[in-house]
Short mmCIF file of all heavy atoms in Angstrom, two decimals:
data_model
loop_
_atom_site.label_atom_id
_atom_site.label_comp_id
_atom_site.label_asym_id
_atom_site.label_seq_id
_atom_site.Cartn_x
_atom_site.Cartn_y
_atom_site.Cartn_z
N MET A 1386 -9.85 9.89 3.44
CA MET A 1386 -9.25 8.67 3.08
C MET A 1386 -9.46 8.44 1.56
O MET A 1386 -10.51 8.54 1.07
CB MET A 1386 -9.78 7.52 3.88
CG MET A 1386 -9.20 6.21 3.51
SD MET A 1386 -9.81 4.79 4.45
CE MET A 1386 -9.72 5.38 6.09
N LYS A 1387 -8.34 8.10 0.91
CA LYS A 1387 -8.38 7.80 -0.52
C LYS A 1387 -8.65 6.34 -0.73
O LYS A 1387 -8.28 5.52 0.09
CB LYS A 1387 -7.08 8.19 -1.21
CG LYS A 1387 -6.71 9.64 -0.99
CD LYS A 1387 -5.27 9.90 -1.37
CE LYS A 1387 -4.87 11.28 -0.89
NZ LYS A 1387 -3.45 11.50 -0.94
N GLN A 1388 -9.36 6.03 -1.82
CA GLN A 1388 -9.70 4.63 -2.10
C GLN A 1388 -8.87 4.12 -3.25
O GLN A 1388 -8.64 4.82 -4.25
CB GLN A 1388 -11.15 4.50 -2.38
CG GLN A 1388 -12.02 4.77 -1.17
CD GLN A 1388 -13.46 4.49 -1.44
OE1 GLN A 1388 -13.95 4.49 -2.61
NE2 GLN A 1388 -14.22 4.22 -0.41
N VAL A 1389 -8.41 2.90 -3.12
CA VAL A 1389 -7.66 2.22 -4.24
C VAL A 1389 -8.53 1.05 -4.68
O VAL A 1389 -8.79 0.12 -3.93
CB VAL A 1389 -6.29 1.69 -3.72
CG1 VAL A 1389 -5.55 1.01 -4.84
CG2 VAL A 1389 -5.46 2.84 -3.19
N GLN A 1390 -9.01 1.11 -5.88
CA GLN A 1390 -9.96 0.12 -6.42
C GLN A 1390 -9.14 -1.01 -7.09
O GLN A 1390 -8.24 -0.74 -7.88
CB GLN A 1390 -10.85 0.72 -7.47
CG GLN A 1390 -11.91 -0.24 -7.94
CD GLN A 1390 -13.29 0.39 -7.79
OE1 GLN A 1390 -13.48 1.55 -7.46
NE2 GLN A 1390 -14.31 -0.38 -8.11
N ILE A 1391 -9.47 -2.25 -6.71
CA ILE A 1391 -8.80 -3.38 -7.34
C ILE A 1391 -9.85 -4.29 -8.00
O ILE A 1391 -10.98 -4.34 -7.58
CB ILE A 1391 -7.95 -4.21 -6.29
CG1 ILE A 1391 -8.81 -4.77 -5.18
CG2 ILE A 1391 -6.86 -3.31 -5.77
CD1 ILE A 1391 -8.07 -5.73 -4.25
N GLY A 1392 -9.42 -4.98 -9.06
CA GLY A 1392 -10.31 -5.89 -9.76
C GLY A 1392 -9.94 -7.35 -9.53
O GLY A 1392 -10.44 -8.26 -10.17
N THR A 1393 -8.98 -7.62 -8.64
CA THR A 1393 -8.51 -8.93 -8.34
C THR A 1393 -8.77 -9.21 -6.87
O THR A 1393 -9.23 -8.32 -6.10
CB THR A 1393 -7.02 -9.08 -8.65
OG1 THR A 1393 -6.29 -8.10 -7.92
CG2 THR A 1393 -6.74 -8.90 -10.13
N GLU A 1394 -8.37 -10.44 -6.44
CA GLU A 1394 -8.63 -10.80 -5.03
C GLU A 1394 -7.78 -9.97 -4.09
O GLU A 1394 -8.24 -9.56 -2.99
CB GLU A 1394 -8.30 -12.26 -4.83
CG GLU A 1394 -8.54 -12.75 -3.41
CD GLU A 1394 -8.12 -14.23 -3.25
OE1 GLU A 1394 -7.77 -14.91 -4.27
OE2 GLU A 1394 -8.09 -14.67 -2.12
N TYR A 1395 -6.57 -9.68 -4.48
CA TYR A 1395 -5.61 -8.89 -3.66
C TYR A 1395 -4.66 -8.08 -4.55
O TYR A 1395 -4.60 -8.29 -5.77
CB TYR A 1395 -4.87 -9.77 -2.72
CG TYR A 1395 -3.92 -10.73 -3.39
CD1 TYR A 1395 -2.59 -10.30 -3.73
CD2 TYR A 1395 -4.28 -12.01 -3.74
CE1 TYR A 1395 -1.72 -11.19 -4.37
CE2 TYR A 1395 -3.41 -12.86 -4.37
CZ TYR A 1395 -2.15 -12.44 -4.68
OH TYR A 1395 -1.27 -13.28 -5.33
N ILE A 1396 -3.96 -7.16 -3.93
CA ILE A 1396 -2.91 -6.41 -4.57
C ILE A 1396 -1.74 -6.38 -3.59
O ILE A 1396 -1.94 -6.41 -2.34
CB ILE A 1396 -3.41 -5.02 -4.93
CG1 ILE A 1396 -2.44 -4.23 -5.80
CG2 ILE A 1396 -3.76 -4.21 -3.69
CD1 ILE A 1396 -3.01 -2.95 -6.33
N THR A 1397 -0.53 -6.28 -4.10
CA THR A 1397 0.63 -6.19 -3.20
C THR A 1397 0.83 -4.71 -2.79
O THR A 1397 0.37 -3.78 -3.45
CB THR A 1397 1.91 -6.72 -3.86
OG1 THR A 1397 2.24 -5.87 -4.94
CG2 THR A 1397 1.77 -8.16 -4.31
N LEU A 1398 1.51 -4.55 -1.70
CA LEU A 1398 1.79 -3.23 -1.19
C LEU A 1398 2.59 -2.41 -2.23
O LEU A 1398 2.26 -1.26 -2.45
CB LEU A 1398 2.57 -3.30 0.14
CG LEU A 1398 2.93 -1.99 0.80
CD1 LEU A 1398 1.73 -1.11 1.06
CD2 LEU A 1398 3.68 -2.25 2.11
N GLY A 1399 3.54 -2.99 -2.88
CA GLY A 1399 4.28 -2.32 -3.93
C GLY A 1399 3.42 -1.85 -5.07
O GLY A 1399 3.52 -0.71 -5.56
N GLN A 1400 2.47 -2.70 -5.48
CA GLN A 1400 1.50 -2.30 -6.55
C GLN A 1400 0.58 -1.16 -6.08
O GLN A 1400 0.22 -0.30 -6.85
CB GLN A 1400 0.68 -3.52 -6.98
CG GLN A 1400 1.49 -4.56 -7.71
CD GLN A 1400 0.68 -5.88 -7.90
OE1 GLN A 1400 -0.19 -6.20 -7.10
NE2 GLN A 1400 1.00 -6.57 -8.95
N MET A 1401 0.19 -1.25 -4.83
CA MET A 1401 -0.72 -0.21 -4.28
C MET A 1401 -0.01 1.14 -4.28
O MET A 1401 -0.62 2.14 -4.64
CB MET A 1401 -1.16 -0.58 -2.88
CG MET A 1401 -2.29 0.23 -2.31
SD MET A 1401 -1.99 1.86 -1.52
CE MET A 1401 -0.53 1.65 -0.59
N LEU A 1402 1.27 1.17 -3.96
CA LEU A 1402 2.00 2.42 -3.96
C LEU A 1402 2.09 3.02 -5.36
O LEU A 1402 1.96 4.23 -5.53
CB LEU A 1402 3.42 2.19 -3.37
CG LEU A 1402 3.52 1.80 -1.91
CD1 LEU A 1402 4.96 1.43 -1.60
CD2 LEU A 1402 3.02 2.92 -1.04
N LYS A 1403 2.22 2.16 -6.34
CA LYS A 1403 2.27 2.63 -7.75
C LYS A 1403 0.92 3.09 -8.20
O LYS A 1403 0.79 4.18 -8.81
CB LYS A 1403 2.78 1.49 -8.61
CG LYS A 1403 3.02 1.98 -10.04
CD LYS A 1403 3.68 0.90 -10.88
CE LYS A 1403 3.82 1.42 -12.28
NZ LYS A 1403 3.63 0.46 -13.29
N LEU A 1404 -0.08 2.34 -7.92
CA LEU A 1404 -1.51 2.76 -8.33
C LEU A 1404 -1.92 4.08 -7.68
O LEU A 1404 -2.72 4.81 -8.23
CB LEU A 1404 -2.50 1.64 -7.99
CG LEU A 1404 -2.61 0.49 -8.90
CD1 LEU A 1404 -3.63 -0.51 -8.35
CD2 LEU A 1404 -3.02 0.93 -10.30
N SER A 1405 -1.42 4.31 -6.47
CA SER A 1405 -1.77 5.50 -5.75
C SER A 1405 -0.91 6.69 -6.12
O SER A 1405 -1.01 7.76 -5.48
CB SER A 1405 -1.65 5.26 -4.23
OG SER A 1405 -2.43 4.18 -3.85
N ASP A 1406 -0.02 6.51 -7.10
CA ASP A 1406 0.91 7.59 -7.56
C ASP A 1406 1.84 8.07 -6.47
O ASP A 1406 2.28 9.25 -6.47
CB ASP A 1406 0.10 8.77 -8.14
CG ASP A 1406 -0.60 8.39 -9.46
OD1 ASP A 1406 -0.05 7.56 -10.16
OD2 ASP A 1406 -1.71 8.95 -9.71
N ILE A 1407 2.16 7.22 -5.52
CA ILE A 1407 3.16 7.53 -4.48
C ILE A 1407 4.56 7.31 -5.05
O ILE A 1407 5.46 8.06 -4.80
CB ILE A 1407 2.93 6.68 -3.24
CG1 ILE A 1407 1.55 7.13 -2.61
CG2 ILE A 1407 4.05 6.86 -2.22
CD1 ILE A 1407 1.11 6.25 -1.47
N ILE A 1408 4.69 6.23 -5.88
CA ILE A 1408 5.97 6.00 -6.58
C ILE A 1408 5.63 5.88 -8.06
O ILE A 1408 4.50 5.64 -8.44
CB ILE A 1408 6.65 4.68 -6.05
CG1 ILE A 1408 5.73 3.49 -6.24
CG2 ILE A 1408 7.09 4.82 -4.61
CD1 ILE A 1408 6.40 2.15 -5.90
N ASP A 1409 6.66 6.11 -8.90
CA ASP A 1409 6.45 6.07 -10.33
C ASP A 1409 6.55 4.68 -10.95
O ASP A 1409 5.91 4.40 -11.97
CB ASP A 1409 7.45 7.01 -11.03
CG ASP A 1409 7.24 8.48 -10.66
OD1 ASP A 1409 6.04 8.86 -10.49
OD2 ASP A 1409 8.22 9.22 -10.54
N SER A 1410 7.37 3.85 -10.37
CA SER A 1410 7.56 2.51 -10.92
C SER A 1410 7.73 1.47 -9.79
O SER A 1410 8.06 1.83 -8.67
CB SER A 1410 8.78 2.46 -11.80
OG SER A 1410 9.96 2.58 -11.05
N GLY A 1411 7.50 0.22 -10.12
CA GLY A 1411 7.62 -0.83 -9.12
C GLY A 1411 9.05 -0.96 -8.61
O GLY A 1411 9.24 -1.36 -7.50
N GLY A 1412 10.01 -0.57 -9.43
CA GLY A 1412 11.42 -0.63 -9.03
C GLY A 1412 11.72 0.29 -7.89
O GLY A 1412 12.74 0.10 -7.15
N GLN A 1413 10.98 1.35 -7.71
CA GLN A 1413 11.18 2.32 -6.60
C GLN A 1413 10.65 1.78 -5.26
O GLN A 1413 10.94 2.40 -4.25
CB GLN A 1413 10.54 3.62 -6.97
CG GLN A 1413 11.14 4.33 -8.14
CD GLN A 1413 10.38 5.60 -8.47
OE1 GLN A 1413 9.14 5.65 -8.35
NE2 GLN A 1413 11.13 6.66 -8.86
N ALA A 1414 9.83 0.78 -5.30
CA ALA A 1414 9.13 0.30 -4.11
C ALA A 1414 10.09 -0.07 -2.96
O ALA A 1414 9.86 0.34 -1.82
CB ALA A 1414 8.21 -0.85 -4.44
N LYS A 1415 11.12 -0.85 -3.29
CA LYS A 1415 11.99 -1.31 -2.24
C LYS A 1415 12.71 -0.15 -1.53
O LYS A 1415 12.72 -0.11 -0.28
CB LYS A 1415 13.09 -2.22 -2.87
CG LYS A 1415 13.97 -2.87 -1.85
CD LYS A 1415 14.95 -3.83 -2.54
CE LYS A 1415 15.82 -4.54 -1.49
NZ LYS A 1415 16.72 -5.51 -2.09
N ALA A 1416 13.22 0.83 -2.27
CA ALA A 1416 13.90 1.99 -1.68
C ALA A 1416 12.89 2.80 -0.84
O ALA A 1416 13.18 3.26 0.26
CB ALA A 1416 14.55 2.82 -2.70
N PHE A 1417 11.69 3.02 -1.40
CA PHE A 1417 10.67 3.79 -0.72
C PHE A 1417 10.29 3.15 0.60
O PHE A 1417 10.19 3.81 1.63
CB PHE A 1417 9.43 4.00 -1.62
CG PHE A 1417 8.40 4.81 -0.96
CD1 PHE A 1417 8.42 6.21 -0.97
CD2 PHE A 1417 7.32 4.21 -0.29
CE1 PHE A 1417 7.45 6.96 -0.36
CE2 PHE A 1417 6.33 4.95 0.32
CZ PHE A 1417 6.39 6.36 0.28
N LEU A 1418 10.06 1.84 0.56
CA LEU A 1418 9.62 1.10 1.73
C LEU A 1418 10.69 1.06 2.82
O LEU A 1418 10.40 0.95 4.02
CB LEU A 1418 9.18 -0.33 1.38
CG LEU A 1418 7.87 -0.39 0.60
CD1 LEU A 1418 7.68 -1.75 0.01
CD2 LEU A 1418 6.71 0.05 1.48
N ALA A 1419 11.96 1.12 2.43
CA ALA A 1419 13.07 1.15 3.39
C ALA A 1419 13.10 2.47 4.18
O ALA A 1419 13.59 2.47 5.31
CB ALA A 1419 14.37 0.95 2.67
N GLU A 1420 12.57 3.53 3.62
CA GLU A 1420 12.65 4.81 4.29
C GLU A 1420 11.33 5.34 4.89
O GLU A 1420 11.34 6.10 5.80
CB GLU A 1420 13.17 5.86 3.29
CG GLU A 1420 14.60 5.54 2.87
CD GLU A 1420 15.18 6.64 2.01
OE1 GLU A 1420 14.61 7.74 1.92
OE2 GLU A 1420 16.24 6.37 1.40
N ALA A 1421 10.22 4.91 4.30
CA ALA A 1421 8.91 5.45 4.74
C ALA A 1421 8.30 4.62 5.88
O ALA A 1421 8.53 3.42 5.99
CB ALA A 1421 7.95 5.44 3.55
N ASP A 1422 7.57 5.33 6.76
CA ASP A 1422 6.82 4.63 7.76
C ASP A 1422 5.43 4.30 7.18
O ASP A 1422 4.68 5.19 6.82
CB ASP A 1422 6.63 5.56 9.01
CG ASP A 1422 7.96 5.73 9.77
OD1 ASP A 1422 8.79 4.80 9.74
OD2 ASP A 1422 8.14 6.77 10.39
N ILE A 1423 5.14 3.00 7.22
CA ILE A 1423 3.84 2.53 6.64
C ILE A 1423 3.15 1.63 7.66
O ILE A 1423 3.74 0.77 8.24
CB ILE A 1423 4.10 1.80 5.34
CG1 ILE A 1423 4.77 2.72 4.30
CG2 ILE A 1423 2.78 1.15 4.83
CD1 ILE A 1423 4.99 2.09 2.96
N LEU A 1424 1.85 1.88 7.81
CA LEU A 1424 1.05 1.07 8.68
C LEU A 1424 -0.02 0.37 7.83
O LEU A 1424 -0.69 1.01 7.05
CB LEU A 1424 0.32 1.90 9.76
CG LEU A 1424 1.19 2.67 10.72
CD1 LEU A 1424 0.31 3.50 11.64
CD2 LEU A 1424 2.06 1.71 11.54
N VAL A 1425 -0.09 -0.93 7.98
CA VAL A 1425 -1.15 -1.73 7.32
C VAL A 1425 -2.09 -2.22 8.38
O VAL A 1425 -1.66 -2.96 9.28
CB VAL A 1425 -0.54 -2.88 6.53
CG1 VAL A 1425 -1.70 -3.71 5.89
CG2 VAL A 1425 0.38 -2.38 5.45
N ASN A 1426 -3.31 -1.75 8.40
CA ASN A 1426 -4.31 -2.06 9.41
C ASN A 1426 -3.78 -1.76 10.79
O ASN A 1426 -3.94 -2.56 11.72
CB ASN A 1426 -4.76 -3.52 9.29
CG ASN A 1426 -5.46 -3.77 8.00
OD1 ASN A 1426 -6.22 -2.95 7.50
ND2 ASN A 1426 -5.27 -4.97 7.43
N GLY A 1427 -3.04 -0.64 10.93
CA GLY A 1427 -2.57 -0.19 12.21
C GLY A 1427 -1.24 -0.78 12.66
O GLY A 1427 -0.75 -0.43 13.72
N GLU A 1428 -0.65 -1.70 11.86
CA GLU A 1428 0.61 -2.35 12.24
C GLU A 1428 1.68 -1.98 11.28
O GLU A 1428 1.46 -2.02 10.03
CB GLU A 1428 0.41 -3.87 12.32
CG GLU A 1428 -0.58 -4.31 13.39
CD GLU A 1428 -0.69 -5.81 13.46
OE1 GLU A 1428 0.14 -6.53 12.86
OE2 GLU A 1428 -1.60 -6.25 14.12
N PRO A 1429 2.89 -1.73 11.71
CA PRO A 1429 4.00 -1.40 10.80
C PRO A 1429 4.27 -2.55 9.83
O PRO A 1429 4.27 -3.70 10.21
CB PRO A 1429 5.21 -1.21 11.72
CG PRO A 1429 4.64 -1.03 13.09
CD PRO A 1429 3.33 -1.72 13.09
N ASP A 1430 4.52 -2.23 8.57
CA ASP A 1430 4.83 -3.19 7.57
C ASP A 1430 5.57 -2.55 6.42
O ASP A 1430 5.13 -1.49 5.96
CB ASP A 1430 3.58 -3.92 7.05
CG ASP A 1430 3.89 -5.28 6.43
OD1 ASP A 1430 4.99 -5.47 5.88
OD2 ASP A 1430 3.01 -6.16 6.48
N ASN A 1431 6.65 -3.14 5.94
CA ASN A 1431 7.41 -2.58 4.84
C ASN A 1431 7.72 -3.59 3.79
O ASN A 1431 8.65 -3.45 3.06
CB ASN A 1431 8.68 -1.86 5.37
CG ASN A 1431 9.65 -2.87 5.96
OD1 ASN A 1431 9.30 -4.01 6.25
ND2 ASN A 1431 10.87 -2.40 6.20
N ARG A 1432 6.96 -4.66 3.73
CA ARG A 1432 7.19 -5.72 2.73
C ARG A 1432 6.45 -5.39 1.43
O ARG A 1432 5.23 -5.28 1.44
CB ARG A 1432 6.67 -7.06 3.25
CG ARG A 1432 7.41 -7.54 4.51
CD ARG A 1432 6.79 -8.77 5.04
NE ARG A 1432 5.46 -8.45 5.56
CZ ARG A 1432 4.49 -9.31 5.76
NH1 ARG A 1432 4.66 -10.59 5.44
NH2 ARG A 1432 3.31 -8.94 6.21
N ARG A 1433 7.17 -5.22 0.33
CA ARG A 1433 6.51 -4.80 -0.87
C ARG A 1433 5.61 -5.87 -1.40
O ARG A 1433 4.64 -5.61 -2.14
CB ARG A 1433 7.50 -4.39 -1.93
CG ARG A 1433 8.37 -5.49 -2.43
CD ARG A 1433 9.35 -5.01 -3.45
NE ARG A 1433 10.29 -6.09 -3.75
CZ ARG A 1433 11.32 -5.93 -4.51
NH1 ARG A 1433 11.56 -4.80 -5.06
NH2 ARG A 1433 12.10 -6.98 -4.78
N GLY A 1434 5.78 -7.13 -1.00
CA GLY A 1434 4.95 -8.23 -1.46
C GLY A 1434 3.76 -8.50 -0.53
O GLY A 1434 2.98 -9.41 -0.79
N ARG A 1435 3.60 -7.70 0.49
CA ARG A 1435 2.47 -7.83 1.44
C ARG A 1435 1.16 -7.80 0.67
O ARG A 1435 0.90 -6.85 -0.08
CB ARG A 1435 2.51 -6.73 2.50
CG ARG A 1435 1.23 -6.55 3.29
CD ARG A 1435 0.99 -7.65 4.28
NE ARG A 1435 -0.26 -7.58 4.98
CZ ARG A 1435 -0.46 -7.08 6.17
NH1 ARG A 1435 0.56 -6.65 6.87
NH2 ARG A 1435 -1.64 -7.06 6.69
N LYS A 1436 0.33 -8.82 0.83
CA LYS A 1436 -0.96 -8.90 0.11
C LYS A 1436 -1.99 -8.00 0.85
O LYS A 1436 -2.18 -8.13 2.05
CB LYS A 1436 -1.44 -10.32 0.01
CG LYS A 1436 -0.57 -11.16 -0.87
CD LYS A 1436 -1.07 -12.59 -0.93
CE LYS A 1436 -0.13 -13.44 -1.75
NZ LYS A 1436 -0.56 -14.83 -1.76
N LEU A 1437 -2.65 -7.17 0.09
CA LEU A 1437 -3.68 -6.28 0.59
C LEU A 1437 -5.00 -6.72 -0.05
O LEU A 1437 -5.11 -6.91 -1.25
CB LEU A 1437 -3.41 -4.82 0.24
CG LEU A 1437 -2.08 -4.29 0.72
CD1 LEU A 1437 -1.83 -2.93 0.14
CD2 LEU A 1437 -2.00 -4.25 2.23
N TYR A 1438 -6.04 -6.88 0.81
CA TYR A 1438 -7.33 -7.30 0.42
C TYR A 1438 -8.33 -6.19 0.60
O TYR A 1438 -8.08 -5.23 1.32
CB TYR A 1438 -7.77 -8.53 1.20
CG TYR A 1438 -6.87 -9.73 0.99
CD1 TYR A 1438 -5.75 -9.92 1.81
CD2 TYR A 1438 -7.07 -10.66 -0.06
CE1 TYR A 1438 -4.91 -11.01 1.61
CE2 TYR A 1438 -6.23 -11.74 -0.23
CZ TYR A 1438 -5.17 -11.93 0.58
OH TYR A 1438 -4.34 -12.96 0.38
N ARG A 1439 -9.51 -6.31 -0.04
CA ARG A 1439 -10.55 -5.31 0.16
C ARG A 1439 -10.83 -5.10 1.63
O ARG A 1439 -10.90 -6.08 2.39
CB ARG A 1439 -11.83 -5.72 -0.56
CG ARG A 1439 -11.71 -5.66 -2.06
CD ARG A 1439 -13.01 -6.11 -2.76
NE ARG A 1439 -12.85 -6.09 -4.18
CZ ARG A 1439 -12.29 -7.10 -4.87
NH1 ARG A 1439 -11.87 -8.18 -4.26
NH2 ARG A 1439 -12.18 -7.02 -6.19
N GLY A 1440 -10.91 -3.84 2.02
CA GLY A 1440 -11.18 -3.49 3.43
C GLY A 1440 -9.91 -3.17 4.18
O GLY A 1440 -9.98 -2.57 5.28
N ASP A 1441 -8.72 -3.55 3.65
CA ASP A 1441 -7.46 -3.23 4.29
C ASP A 1441 -7.21 -1.72 4.23
O ASP A 1441 -7.61 -1.07 3.25
CB ASP A 1441 -6.31 -3.96 3.70
CG ASP A 1441 -6.21 -5.40 4.11
OD1 ASP A 1441 -6.87 -5.79 5.07
OD2 ASP A 1441 -5.48 -6.15 3.44
N ARG A 1442 -6.58 -1.18 5.25
CA ARG A 1442 -6.25 0.23 5.30
C ARG A 1442 -4.74 0.41 5.39
O ARG A 1442 -4.15 -0.31 6.18
CB ARG A 1442 -6.93 0.93 6.45
CG ARG A 1442 -8.41 0.94 6.28
CD ARG A 1442 -9.12 1.60 7.41
NE ARG A 1442 -10.58 1.58 7.14
CZ ARG A 1442 -11.37 2.58 7.46
NH1 ARG A 1442 -10.92 3.62 8.10
NH2 ARG A 1442 -12.63 2.53 7.16
N VAL A 1443 -4.24 1.31 4.64
CA VAL A 1443 -2.78 1.56 4.59
C VAL A 1443 -2.53 3.05 4.86
O VAL A 1443 -3.15 3.91 4.18
CB VAL A 1443 -2.19 1.17 3.20
CG1 VAL A 1443 -0.69 1.44 3.19
CG2 VAL A 1443 -2.51 -0.29 2.89
N ARG A 1444 -1.71 3.34 5.83
CA ARG A 1444 -1.32 4.71 6.09
C ARG A 1444 0.14 4.90 5.68
O ARG A 1444 1.01 4.16 6.17
CB ARG A 1444 -1.48 5.05 7.55
CG ARG A 1444 -1.03 6.49 7.89
CD ARG A 1444 -1.44 6.88 9.21
NE ARG A 1444 -2.88 7.02 9.24
CZ ARG A 1444 -3.56 7.64 10.17
NH1 ARG A 1444 -2.96 8.12 11.22
NH2 ARG A 1444 -4.87 7.76 10.08
N VAL A 1445 0.43 5.84 4.79
CA VAL A 1445 1.74 6.10 4.30
C VAL A 1445 2.19 7.47 4.79
O VAL A 1445 1.54 8.47 4.46
CB VAL A 1445 1.82 6.03 2.75
CG1 VAL A 1445 3.20 6.25 2.25
CG2 VAL A 1445 1.24 4.66 2.26
N GLN A 1446 3.29 7.50 5.55
CA GLN A 1446 3.74 8.76 6.10
C GLN A 1446 3.97 9.80 4.98
O GLN A 1446 4.62 9.52 3.98
CB GLN A 1446 5.09 8.52 6.79
CG GLN A 1446 5.72 9.77 7.36
CD GLN A 1446 7.09 9.50 7.93
OE1 GLN A 1446 7.70 8.46 7.66
NE2 GLN A 1446 7.59 10.44 8.70
N GLY A 1447 3.38 10.96 5.14
CA GLY A 1447 3.50 12.05 4.20
C GLY A 1447 2.56 11.96 3.01
O GLY A 1447 2.58 12.87 2.19
N HIS A 1448 1.78 10.87 2.90
CA HIS A 1448 0.88 10.70 1.73
C HIS A 1448 -0.53 10.44 2.09
O HIS A 1448 -1.43 10.50 1.25
CB HIS A 1448 1.38 9.56 0.86
CG HIS A 1448 2.73 9.85 0.25
ND1 HIS A 1448 2.91 10.64 -0.89
CD2 HIS A 1448 3.99 9.51 0.61
CE1 HIS A 1448 4.17 10.72 -1.19
NE2 HIS A 1448 4.86 10.05 -0.28
N GLY A 1449 -0.85 10.12 3.38
CA GLY A 1449 -2.22 9.94 3.77
C GLY A 1449 -2.60 8.49 4.00
O GLY A 1449 -1.74 7.61 4.06
N GLU A 1450 -3.88 8.29 4.10
CA GLU A 1450 -4.44 6.97 4.36
C GLU A 1450 -5.25 6.46 3.18
O GLU A 1450 -5.96 7.20 2.52
CB GLU A 1450 -5.32 7.01 5.62
CG GLU A 1450 -5.70 5.66 6.12
CD GLU A 1450 -6.31 5.69 7.52
OE1 GLU A 1450 -6.13 6.69 8.18
OE2 GLU A 1450 -6.92 4.67 7.89
N PHE A 1451 -5.11 5.19 2.89
CA PHE A 1451 -5.76 4.57 1.74
C PHE A 1451 -6.55 3.34 2.17
O PHE A 1451 -6.17 2.65 3.09
CB PHE A 1451 -4.71 4.15 0.70
CG PHE A 1451 -3.87 5.24 0.24
CD1 PHE A 1451 -2.74 5.67 0.97
CD2 PHE A 1451 -4.14 5.95 -0.96
CE1 PHE A 1451 -1.93 6.69 0.53
CE2 PHE A 1451 -3.32 6.98 -1.40
CZ PHE A 1451 -2.24 7.36 -0.63
N GLU A 1452 -7.69 3.11 1.48
CA GLU A 1452 -8.46 1.88 1.71
C GLU A 1452 -8.60 1.15 0.44
O GLU A 1452 -8.85 1.68 -0.61
CB GLU A 1452 -9.87 2.29 2.23
CG GLU A 1452 -10.72 1.06 2.53
CD GLU A 1452 -12.11 1.35 3.05
OE1 GLU A 1452 -12.51 2.52 2.96
OE2 GLU A 1452 -12.78 0.45 3.52
N ILE A 1453 -8.39 -0.16 0.54
CA ILE A 1453 -8.51 -1.04 -0.61
C ILE A 1453 -9.99 -1.39 -0.81
O ILE A 1453 -10.63 -1.86 0.12
CB ILE A 1453 -7.68 -2.32 -0.44
CG1 ILE A 1453 -6.23 -2.05 -0.02
CG2 ILE A 1453 -7.71 -3.19 -1.71
CD1 ILE A 1453 -5.47 -1.13 -0.96
N VAL A 1454 -10.51 -1.12 -2.01
CA VAL A 1454 -11.92 -1.41 -2.27
C VAL A 1454 -12.09 -2.20 -3.59
O VAL A 1454 -11.23 -2.20 -4.39
CB VAL A 1454 -12.79 -0.13 -2.37
CG1 VAL A 1454 -12.82 0.57 -1.03
CG2 VAL A 1454 -12.28 0.83 -3.44
#
């Protein structure tokens, strides 16, 4: 599992995808989320504005699992 380190209270799903080098820019998030299967804490979610907090786990189809720390 890869870790995504944040220095704020939360990060959005779109920002997490960019920080994890899954997408190159925030503008790609909407299109990527429309096609990819993503689980946040075991539940499907494709909202780029979804707030992720420390301890949350995100599984991105074809890219692996990430933990917010």
